[in-house]
Amino acid sequence: MASQDVVIAALGASAALAGFVLVFLGVVITGLSSFPPETVRLVRMRYLRVAGVSVVAFLLSLVTVALAVVWLAYGQNRAVYHWTIWLFFVQLGLVFVVGVVTTVQAVGV
């Protein structure tokens, strides 16, 4: 029963982190769109890279949610359980990086 509680927690947390990533992505897109078209390409590429990492983090959140639902609905396979937990921690680290980089860019440090 403890494994089921862990997967349910990972499911909820992954869905919440997906929402946070969309907020960060909105900040990045707003920052990117604030530059005029003649802005140096290097500056725009920095924002596009962060946007790309944000999209990867969002997709990773969706994969983690999907794996958790598969584990809960279709049998409790050990491999699916371990992938769910492992991907959750990868997602957590990636969201942390996206949050820090987005905040630093927004503040202008």
Side-chain angles (χ1 to χ4, degrees):
M1 194 56 124
S3 296
Q4 185 175 2
D5 293 338
V6 170
V7 171
I8 290 171
L11 171 67
S14 292
L17 286 174
F20 286 140
V21 168
L22 289 179
V23 170
F24 293 136
L25 185 58
V27 170
V28 170
I29 290 173
T30 301
L32 181 61
S33 65
S34 69
F35 291 116
E38 63 273 0
T39 302
V40 178
R41 182 180 172 109
L42 185 59
V43 172
R44 295 177 59 84
M45 287 304 296
R46 202 173 74 188
Y47 280 84
L48 289 174
R49 271 192 299 258
V50 175
V53 173
S54 298
V55 169
V56 168
F58 178 73
L59 293 175
L60 189 60
S61 299
L62 295 182
V63 169
T64 305
V65 167
L67 280 176
V69 169
V70 165
W71 188 86
L72 289 167
Y74 296 111
Q76 299 177 347
N77 184 324
R78 278 179 68 83
V80 175
Y81 173 79
H82 289 294
W83 272 102
T84 302
I85 303 307
W86 185 81
L87 284 177
F88 172 73
F89 283 114
V90 171
Q91 170 196 358
L92 194 60
L94 195 56
V95 169
F96 176 77
V97 169
V98 167
V100 168
V101 170
T102 302
T103 303
V104 167
Q105 280 186 346
V107 172
V109 175

